[in-house]
Amino acid sequence: MDFLKMMKQAKEMQEQMGSLQGQIEDIEAEGSSGAGLVTVRLNGKGELKSLTIDSSLMKEGEGEILEDLIVAAHTDGRVKIDQAIQEKTQEMMGGLGLPAGMKLPF
């Protein structure tokens, strides 16, 4: 592969990475637990944007259960965000000829 072609590909990749980072920030996903009793909405950075708790969980002595459900809902949302980022990354970088399995720093 000649040097100029490699430089052109590197520049294209850099431009696409910048675009991808902006798109990742716009991704949102909802995670839930307890059959929907707790739901969270996360952005592409994994930041919690909203939290909804069913009033049936607002009972004295239920704090530990509620805490576990919040953590589980966040984990569910994070998995969905990670999948969406992976799909978006593959979609944008598919034409660049990157080695299979190469992970990008997001």
Side-chain angles (χ1 to χ4, degrees):
M1 182 181 288
D2 73 50
F3 183 72
L4 291 177
K5 186 175 180 181
M6 281 181 21
M7 292 302 293
K8 182 179 177 187
Q9 283 184 322
K11 182 171 175 49
E12 288 174 12
M13 182 185 289
Q14 185 177 24
E15 290 170 0
Q16 288 186 345
M17 294 291 277
S19 173
L20 179 61
Q21 285 177 331
Q23 290 180 26
I24 285 172
E25 291 177 14
D26 293 338
I27 294 172
E28 286 196 1
E30 186 174 280
S32 65
S33 64
L37 294 175
V38 174
T39 59
V40 298
R41 179 154 290 282
L42 305 173
N43 70 10
K45 291 181 175 181
E47 297 169 336
L48 183 65
K49 295 309 223 175
S50 69
L51 168 66
T52 305
I53 302 170
D54 189 273
S55 61
S56 67
L57 294 172
M58 304 290 190
K59 298 177 184 168
E60 191 171 330
E62 299 287 322
E64 190 173 323
I65 293 170
L66 180 55
E67 291 166 359
D68 290 343
L69 289 172
I70 292 170
V71 170
H74 186 273
T75 300
D76 182 50
R78 188 66 219 185
V79 166
K80 291 175 181 174
I81 286 290
D82 290 345
Q83 289 173 342
I85 289 171
Q86 183 178 10
E87 289 171 8
K88 182 65 73 178
T89 301
Q90 288 176 348
E91 177 184 309
M92 288 192 69
M93 298 299 175
L96 291 179
L98 297 176
M102 180 176 174
K103 296 207 180 230
L104 297 173
F106 297 109

